[in-house]
Amino acid sequence: MIDVFASADVVLAAQKIAAGEVIGLPTETVYGLAADAQNPQAVARIFALKHRPASHPLITHIAAEANIHYWLDEARMTADMTDIMNTLIDAFWPGPLTLVLPKSPAINDAVTGGQDTIALRCPDHALAQSVLHALSQLHNTPHVGIAAPSANRFGRVSPTHAQHVRDEFNGQVWVLDGDASVIGIESTIIDLTRGAPVLLRHGHITPDDIFDVTGLQPLPNDTHSPRASGTLLAHYAPATPLVWASAATALADAGCLCFSNEFDVTPFKQVIQLDDQPKNYARGLYHALRELDRAAHAQIVVEDLPVDSAWDAVRDRLKRAIVGSNEGK
């Protein structure tokens, strides 16, 4: 087994981040466009590369051994908020759960989009954790964080392979190759600053998972403002227009994304069939969308998903991708 802590590529990745560069970083969810979260100039480079509005907050990734309180304004933390935070961290970190919490005044506003909250996550990926560890050694402090939104142009399909990142930025971004992302969609985001947990983004960890450990069912988000990453109505979109199969009227020169053996694929020029289990489907979703998009079909027809809460995270991504892919067309 490779000692990832001693890997030359890990050390190089940390050195690049410490020097203010932006790199492609693997995580278990998707690849991130990563920079030192406490370097405003480096964070600005993320926004520039992604063509992302500066008012949209980024998620800060921290190490498993990090002291989360360094990042927080504890004067604005209630006892209940702290208890729920600790419960969720104990249950799901490291893992695909992002928590939105009151930001310490000491943390620069660049990474939070000017908001008084910060989105924090502890990635469950050996290479990401190793880079955080190496960065801590380079800066000689345990208080390091890596801002890492998905490594794609703003609003487009997220990357789950190192080559996706290279393709997205035409080789201009150095990428730490960590193989395929094992989850394949972005983290669940829970806002803890509103008196009760609020679900800002669906993900691998479900509202029922949150309820099971806290006894609280997350409330639905009541705003589409950019409180956190990936919450706009149009997002995750290929250049090729997407349409649900139930709404498709023309199938000529169309690609198809499906999951069931009963779905009629005979009209389509290209077919990608994903697994019929939602978490396995999610793992292959973005790669499949990129493959279909690359073929330059007139449209991509997506088999309608089951009406089942287990599919909510995938449904969320596809609904936003459909809106985004059809904007201006």
Side-chain angles (χ1 to χ4, degrees):
M1 180 181 294
I2 296 174
D3 181 358
V4 293
F5 284 92
S7 161
D9 280 348
V10 164
V11 173
L12 179 59
Q15 289 172 337
K16 286 178 174 292
I17 291 173
E21 293 186 38
V22 176
I23 70 166
L25 182 73
T27 79
E28 78 279 23
T29 56
V30 299
Y31 274 71
L33 198 58
D36 188 338
Q38 298 189 86
N39 181 334
Q41 292 75 31
V43 170
R45 293 188 185 100
I46 293 178
F47 284 99
L49 279 165
K50 284 180 66 72
H51 304 296
R52 180 187 179 109
S55 61
H56 289 234
L58 306 180
I59 293 172
T60 295
H61 297 68
I62 60 176
E65 66 273 14
N67 179 4
I68 191 174
H69 299 283
Y70 167 80
W71 302 90
L72 305 180
D73 184 354
E74 296 192 291
R76 294 190 288 133
M77 298 271 300
T78 66
D80 285 347
M81 189 189 305
T82 302
D83 288 345
I84 296 169
M85 177 190 77
N86 289 333
T87 298
L88 292 174
I89 287 173
D90 289 344
F92 300 117
W93 278 16
L97 177 69
T98 295
L99 299 177
V100 175
L101 294 156
K103 178 186 77 71
S104 167
I107 304 303
N108 192 281
D109 286 347
V111 77
T112 65
Q115 299 188 36
D116 63 355
T117 56
I118 187 167
L120 295 169
R121 185 168 96 80
C122 179
D124 187 15
H125 194 288
L127 287 178
Q129 286 290 332
S130 296
V131 172
L132 282 161
H133 180 75
L135 185 63
S136 177
Q137 292 182 326
L138 288 171
H139 282 323
N140 194 30
T141 174
H143 304 310
V144 297
I146 293 176
S150 56
N152 53 277
R153 305 287 183 185
F154 183 63
R156 294 304 176 187
V157 180
S158 300
T160 55
H161 296 256
Q163 191 59 46
H164 293 168
V165 185
R166 299 185 187 107
D167 293 344
E168 188 79 17
F169 296 102
N170 298 316
Q172 295 177 352
V173 174
W174 184 87
V175 185
L176 179 62
D177 194 336
D179 296 325
S181 301
V182 297
I183 289 178
I185 59 173
E186 299 80 2
S187 61
T188 305
I189 302 180
I190 298 292
D191 185 353
L192 296 181
T193 67
R194 305 192 200 178
V198 175
L199 179 68
L200 298 189
R201 182 172 71 189
H202 285 278
H204 186 83
I205 294 169
T206 69
D208 287 344
D209 294 331
I210 303 296
F211 176 80
D212 287 344
V213 299
T214 65
L216 299 169
Q217 191 71 29
L219 301 175
N221 189 21
D222 59 0
T223 177
H224 295 296
S225 62
R227 188 70 164 173
S229 301
T231 56
L232 296 181
L233 291 176
H235 219 71
Y236 316 114
T240 307
L242 264 64
V243 61
W244 292 116
S246 58
T249 56
L251 304 183
D253 192 21
C256 171
L257 182 62
C258 64
F259 63 90
S260 66
N261 293 327
E262 295 77 21
F263 187 72
D264 181 11
V265 299
T266 54
F268 303 105
K269 293 185 65 175
Q270 180 186 10
V271 176
I272 295 181
Q273 181 169 346
L274 297 178
D275 197 273
D276 63 359
Q277 297 302 305
K279 290 186 176 179
N280 294 334
Y281 185 110
R283 186 176 300 122
L285 173 60
Y286 289 149
H287 183 68
L289 287 178
R290 283 177 173 267
E291 289 295 300
L292 290 164
D293 199 26
R294 188 166 61 179
H297 300 294
Q299 64 177 342
I300 301 170
V301 175
V302 181
E303 180 181 2
D304 292 67
L305 302 178
V307 182
D308 183 324
S309 62
W311 287 88
D312 282 350
V314 169
R315 190 182 345 271
D316 171 78
R317 300 313 190 275
L318 283 170
K319 286 172 63 177
R320 296 175 195 273
I322 287 170
V323 173
S325 67
N326 286 281
E327 281 189 336
K329 294 184 174 68

